[in-house]
Structures are given as C-alpha cells and as structure tokens.
Amino acid sequence: MGEDKVLLRVENLKMWHAMRRGLFGGVVYVRAVDGVTFSLAPGEAVSVVGESGSGKTTLGKTILRLHEPTDGKLIFKGRDITHTPEKELMWFKRETGLVQQDPYGAMPSFMTIYRILEEPLIIHKVGTKEERSEMIFKALEEVRLTPVEDFAFKYPHMLSGGQLQRVAIARALILKPSLVVADEPVSMLDASVRVEILTLMRELQEKRGISFIYITHDLSTTRYFSEWIFIMYAGHIVERARTKALLQNPLHPYTRALLAAIPDPDPENRKRFREVPPGEPPSLVNPPPGCRFAPRCPYATERCRREEPPEFEVEPDHFVKCWLYVGAR
Ligand code: SF4
C-alpha cells in the first residue's frame, strides 16, 4: 500500500501490561499485544477476530492511545503518535472514536442523551450553542433514533440496549472522525437487534468514508462488515487477508478451528475445517518459545516448538504466521 494511501500504520506494536505477582513478588508482564504490524487505508474496514484473552481489545485501545505502547510504532496520517504526550493528542482524539461493548457502562447515567452528545463538541470547541444543537439532532437522526425530541432529553437507563448503542455510535461519529474502533459492539445486545446495529454501522462507515476496526469474537458477523479480517491469537495476528479470501481459503489451523465453530450446512466445509481440538491459549506471561498455537496444533513439528514463525505472504494480500507456508515467502 502506497504511503499516501495509508491512514494508520501499525509497526511491530507491543503492549505489555505490568502485573505484580503476590504481595512481595516482582513485576511480571502480560504480553497482550506482542508484535503486530499492518496498515489501514482511509475508508477501509477491518475485523479483528479472536477469543477472549487474545489481545484484541488491548490492540484497539493501544491504537487509540488509551494505553501507552510498550514498543513498536503507531503512525496516523503520517505523524508518529507512539509516545506523544496526552496533552498533545487532542487533534488525534478528535480524529478517532470508540464504541464499547457495554453501552450502559460507557454512558454517564446522570446526563441526558443530548448532553452526552454535546460533551465531545464542547471539549473540542466545535460550533456555537445553536450549531451544536443542530449537529446533535442530526446525529440522532442518522442513527435512526426518531422522533429525535423523544430521545434527546431522556437518560441512558430509559433506553433499551440497542437504542443506547445507537447513541454510542452517534457519539463516536459526532466529531466526524477518520477512524473508529468498535469493540464487541453487539455482543451484549439481543440477537434480534445485532444485525440492525451492524448494518447501521456499515452504512455510516461507507457513507462517511470512515476507517473502522471492528473487534469481535464472532467470525460469522464479519462477512458483511469489513474488507479485511485479521485473526488474533495469544497477542499475535496469525492470519490476515481480504474477507472473501480468508473465508474461502483459511490457511492458519486456528482460523480453521474458528470456522469449524460456525454452523455450516456444507458437509465438505465441516470436514475441511474440523481439525483442531479445543484448548486454552498459552500464558502470556513469559510465553514458551516457538509458535503459540503449537500445543493445540495437529501439524506442530519440532521447529514449531522451537522457533516463532514469521508472517508469510501466501498469495497477494493474504498473510499467515505459520511454518506450513515457509516456501511461500
Ligand atoms: Fe501449527 Fe506449526 Fe503452523 Fe504453529 S507454525 S500453526 S504449530 S503448523
């Protein structure tokens, strides 16, 4: 991808959480994100898929600079923001938004919806009072909370989970950001409203040309949402490809295990993907050398247990971190 087409460049990004062991123990590091590299073009949507504890939420928050990276680089619109102090990041905060998993936990319960939407505009000194009012009503309309007057002066507890997640989307988009991270935005909602919320996010993403990072444990929801899928396991991206290529031709044994978990009426697919036994990911405190998937992998060799595989580009735009594809590089 040419540098002029890059909105976000993530280079060998690491985010290790410090953790104290026992009352008198020393500090250990949980390697939640451990060497992640990719680029995102303006207007592109990517799904980051992985099970709980894979590091996907930490990756999203580190990209938004809600965590300080331990190592690596974050380049946004050509500017290195890896270690920029918080007070110099106002421009970046205005360019980015976050939609969290639990809309009730993410909203101040004592504020009306109007005030919740007005707050980012006030912080970033956007518009006059009248202009802000116009923007708030327009934002509510865009997320289809109509008639807007019925919703604007309610408090969060007066709305359903689906309605409140629409408010969260409106808040994330109100400053017209270039990049939004949506972290499991539908996993706490009723199944009946999940598709509606995902469809709404996709529509707004396409209409406004926003780059989206959609974080989920559910591979089945990514098909219609993103141009790219990244599969995360134990702090690494183990496979990344265009959505269609990844779903039609999954290469990493872990991606195949995830696909096997999706009910598929095609018996050929079921046979093809059901290869990996269920199991726990390795500890991220001093993980053993080699491939982190080796304890569960039916193809693991001595080399896999000894050396961490690099990322191989098996076909254009299809990368996999697995020794099975060593000849592809
Ligand atoms: Fe399995 Fe080896 Fe590939 Fe890891 S590198 S996924 S252990 S074959």
Side-chain angles (χ1 to χ4, degrees):
M1 196 185 292
E3 281 309 304
D4 55 325
K5 292 197 188 129
V6 175
L7 175 77
L8 171 74
R9 172 89 190 138
V10 176
E11 274 176 32
N12 198 24
L13 187 71
K14 295 183 182 171
M15 170 56 213
W16 296 5
H17 296 290
M19 202 176 73
R20 191 162 283 282
R21 226 180 214 168
L23 203 51
F24 303 107
V27 172
V28 293
Y29 291 92
V30 181
R31 303 181 186 195
V33 175
D34 205 13
V36 163
T37 297
F38 69 91
S39 295
L40 193 60
E44 234 174 16
V46 56
S47 297
V48 179
V49 185
E51 59 203 0
S52 156
S54 60
K56 57 192 192 305
T57 292
T58 304
L59 175 64
K61 289 191 167 171
T62 309
I63 286 170
L64 292 181
R65 277 297 319 271
L66 299 171
H67 296 312
E68 175 95 16
T70 307
D71 201 1
K73 266 193 181 167
L74 279 175
I75 314 284
F76 185 80
K77 290 198 165 175
R79 292 165 76 172
D80 187 339
I81 55 153
T82 319
H83 299 293
T84 307
E86 176 79 22
K87 59 181 187 312
E88 291 168 31
L89 275 177
M90 280 300 270
W91 69 273
F92 174 71
K93 301 283 172 184
R94 188 172 170 170
E95 289 269 2
T96 53
L98 173 66
V99 179
Q100 301 188 67
Q101 183 178 23
D102 174 12
Y104 291 99
M107 303 272 168
S109 56
F110 56 90
M111 284 187 187
T112 61
I113 303 305
Y114 186 96
R115 186 71 187 85
I116 287 170
L117 294 178
E118 192 182 27
E119 204 188 25
L121 298 171
I122 292 175
I123 291 173
H124 290 274
K125 302 184 175 66
V126 177
T128 61
K129 205 169 172 11
E130 290 69 37
E131 285 164 346
R132 287 201 296 270
S133 169
E134 208 175 295
M135 286 177 198
I136 291 162
F137 286 121
K138 191 160 174 247
L140 286 171
E141 226 172 76
E142 268 196 320
V143 295
R144 299 196 200 109
L145 286 174
T146 52
V148 287
E149 298 77 14
D150 282 2
F151 289 96
F153 301 103
K154 284 189 169 152
Y155 288 87
H157 72 273
M158 298 161 91
L159 270 57
S160 70
Q163 289 169 338
L164 205 54
Q165 203 56 305
R166 287 171 190 264
V167 175
I169 295 167
R171 181 175 65 173
L173 300 187
I174 202 154
L175 289 167
K176 302 195 175 10
S178 326
L179 172 68
V180 169
V181 174
D183 185 6
E184 300 270 16
V186 294
S187 62
M188 288 181 72
L189 304 181
D190 290 344
S192 58
V193 294
R194 280 184 201 160
V195 176
E196 274 175 35
I197 296 289
L198 282 176
T199 310
L200 173 71
M201 282 203 311
R202 180 62 167 167
E203 270 174 33
L204 292 171
Q205 182 260 328
E206 285 182 333
K207 186 171 133 197
R208 301 247 205 117
I210 306 167
S211 297
F212 245 81
I213 298 179
Y214 167 52
I215 294 170
T216 181
H217 65 279
D218 183 0
L219 191 53
S220 67
T221 60
T222 62
R223 189 182 297 256
Y224 305 106
F225 192 80
S226 54
E227 282 83 37
W228 288 85
I229 297 178
F230 296 174
I231 305 292
M232 219 171 158
Y233 186 80
H236 291 155
I237 289 179
V238 294
E239 184 164 0
R240 60 190 173 102
R242 300 265 169 197
T243 297
K244 198 169 162 203
L246 187 132
L247 294 175
Q248 283 184 351
N249 185 26
L251 298 175
H252 196 281
Y254 177 60
T255 311
R256 294 180 179 196
L258 285 178
L259 277 162
I262 300 176
D264 192 327
D266 183 340
E268 277 313 301
N269 272 349
R270 288 207 302 269
K271 241 192 284 162
R272 204 167 124 220
F273 298 145
R274 198 156 293 163
E275 300 169 338
V276 175
E280 291 294 311
S283 161
L284 294 180
V285 178
N286 294 326
C291 171
R292 291 185 186 170
F293 195 61
R296 287 172 67 185
C297 183
Y299 309 106
T301 62
E302 267 318 299
R303 183 183 202 179
C304 300
R305 293 186 189 92
R306 209 177 48 234
E307 282 175 64
E308 185 184 318
E311 198 178 54
F312 300 103
E313 188 168 9
V314 177
E315 54 191 1
D317 285 348
H318 196 155
F319 303 86
V320 61
K321 193 173 166 59
C322 171
W323 283 120
L324 287 175
Y325 304 93
V326 64
R329 189 153 75 164

